[in-house]
Amino acid sequence: MSVVIVRFPGTNCEYDTKYAFDILNAKSTIINYDENCLPNDTKLVVLPGGFSYGDYLRSGALAKMSNIMNSIKIFASSGGMVLGICNGFQILTEVGLLPGALKRNDNTHFISKFQHIKVVNNDNKFLQLYKTNELLNIPVAHHDGAYYIDKVGLDSLKKNQQILLRYCDKDGALEVLNGSLEQIAGICNTTKNVFGLMPHPERAMEILLGSDDGKNMLEGLVC
Amino acid sequence: MKAIVKISLKDGVLDSQGKATYHTICTMGYDDIVKDIKIDKLINIELGDIDKQVAIKKVEKMCQDMLVNTVIEDYNIDIII
């Protein structure tokens, strides 16, 4: 198992992400956006958080044209696992590996805080170690996190159990955080090998830092 | 030759920046005349001397491939010779 963490100009969570996989004893490597190919032993590609290309044009819009993205598309289409966290999620929607789009938070603020989220579907590798409806407390830090998809797309997400996580309060009642459609915090593709979420599981790996609720997400992908 | 691409959020997609700006404009005392504000993007593309139809086609492709996110945005292309 080798985890490949892709760094774009403006990425700033690559070392936190690598540290998270170190805790899990999973071998990980950081590679740059201008590489042409993924390493041969790649088992999981992670697009970490940050502000790729300064969020110019739209968050993730310029990163999707990077050299490495073609290899990632091929890797994903042949069943390889891809995870996008925050800006990585935005890039995955921009490149079409995940449906929908992330737009500016409804209140126009950058939101940075611990946030409760609820596990909606655990029938996938990413959330396999959680129970359905389990509550997690994981940091969010984003400006463009309001998930949007049209009615047809939303129906399709529900039908295929692609909605993975929703924002909620500490008691599990759905909570409006950023204007995200139906409080969606994370989704996957139809074949359940590409995952995207706005919260940062790599920042919730140990109690010392406030929460270790994110650990099982990354563990699920490498176990 | 120049292409001007105007990008707007689709109807039904909340323009949070436009809405925030609208509310502030209203607090400035313009609420009697201002009904709404939308914020669009304008991209100016300087082009070489090429056929107008070719220019439209190529800029259209740029929009579809990167300049526009058609999930949430509409666009319009103007070619100025």
Side-chain angles (χ1 to χ4, degrees):
Chain A
M1 161 62 72
S2 181
V3 179
V4 172
I5 300 161
V6 183
R7 168 171 49 206
F8 300 90
T11 294
N12 64 12
C13 295
E14 70 273 39
Y15 292 108
D16 289 13
T17 306
K18 183 161 177 28
Y19 176 74
F21 284 104
D22 287 348
I23 289 176
L24 300 172
N25 292 317
K27 185 189 151 206
S28 64
T29 318
I30 296 171
I31 68 163
N32 279 336
Y33 69 106
D34 55 355
E35 297 281 341
N36 288 315
C37 306
L38 291 167
N40 284 334
D41 64 341
T42 304
K43 292 290 185 293
L44 167 66
V45 173
V46 181
L47 306 188
F51 301 86
S52 57
Y53 292 88
D55 281 353
Y56 298 155
L57 190 62
R58 294 178 308 279
S59 300
L62 302 185
K64 79 167 174 178
M65 305 309 291
S66 303
N67 276 359
I68 196 63
M69 289 312 296
N70 272 337
S71 293
I72 295 175
K73 281 191 261 185
I74 293 165
F75 178 76
S77 66
S78 57
M81 281 189 300
V82 181
L83 169 67
I85 300 168
C86 198
N87 187 225
F89 184 17
Q90 294 160 343
I91 296 168
L92 290 176
T93 58
E94 280 286 342
V95 80
L97 286 173
L98 287 173
L102 279 312
K103 51 187 284 291
R104 181 57 42 95
N105 294 340
D106 269 11
N107 65 6
T108 70
H109 295 174
F110 187 96
I111 302 171
S112 179
K113 61 171 191 162
F114 268 93
Q115 171 67 37
H116 286 92
I117 53 175
K118 186 192 279 196
V119 174
V120 181
N121 279 300
N122 63 358
D123 183 21
N124 55 79
K125 281 209 77 158
F126 185 48
L127 299 181
Q128 62 175 325
L129 301 178
Y130 297 94
K131 297 185 188 74
T132 305
N133 290 326
E134 189 168 341
L135 297 187
L136 315 174
N137 192 22
I138 292 185
V140 294
H142 59 250
H143 206 178
D144 296 320
Y147 183 76
Y148 177 84
I149 194 165
D150 63 14
K151 173 84 172 60
V152 175
L154 182 64
D155 289 346
S156 173
L157 285 180
K158 287 179 180 170
K159 191 176 147 226
N160 298 315
Q161 302 202 312
Q162 289 171 257
I163 299 173
L164 302 184
L165 298 160
R166 291 189 203 267
Y167 301 112
C168 65
D169 65 18
K170 62 180 174 40
D171 301 314
L174 293 186
E175 179 176 80
V176 174
L177 173 74
N178 54 18
S180 203
L181 192 69
E182 298 200 0
Q183 282 59 255
I184 290 174
I187 60 165
C188 64
N189 63 346
T190 51
T191 47
K192 302 193 177 184
N193 61 309
V194 180
F195 308 93
L197 77 166
M198 290 311 296
H200 285 268
E202 83 284 8
R203 296 184 192 178
M205 294 295 290
E206 45 199 343
I207 295 293
L208 181 66
L209 298 179
S211 167
D212 63 356
D213 288 356
K215 203 169 172 180
N216 280 347
M217 289 185 187
L218 306 184
E219 178 79 48
L221 294 176
V222 297
C223 65
Chain B
M1 182 183 282
K2 186 162 142 177
I4 300 177
V5 181
K6 184 186 166 202
I7 304 170
S8 326
L9 284 169
K10 283 180 189 287
D11 286 342
V13 177
L14 177 71
D15 176 4
S16 50
Q17 294 179 83
K19 193 177 162 193
T21 308
Y22 167 70
H23 284 307
T24 304
I25 283 282
C26 287
T27 64
M28 292 163 67
Y30 296 106
D31 51 318
D32 53 338
I33 56 163
V34 179
K35 297 296 169 207
D36 197 13
I37 292 179
K38 293 264 193 284
I39 295 183
D40 295 338
K41 282 183 219 169
L42 208 63
I43 301 178
N44 289 287
I45 304 172
E46 294 289 343
L47 297 165
D49 188 19
I50 55 170
D51 177 76
K52 187 178 174 181
Q53 291 312 312
V54 173
I56 291 172
K57 216 170 163 179
K58 286 193 184 284
V59 174
E60 176 82 31
K61 180 94 168 65
M62 292 178 207
C63 289
Q64 290 287 334
D65 287 349
M66 193 193 73
L67 294 178
V68 180
N69 183 333
T70 55
V71 176
I72 50 173
E73 295 172 328
D74 287 328
Y75 63 97
N76 177 268
I77 301 167
D78 264 343
I79 301 285
I80 296 168
I81 297 170

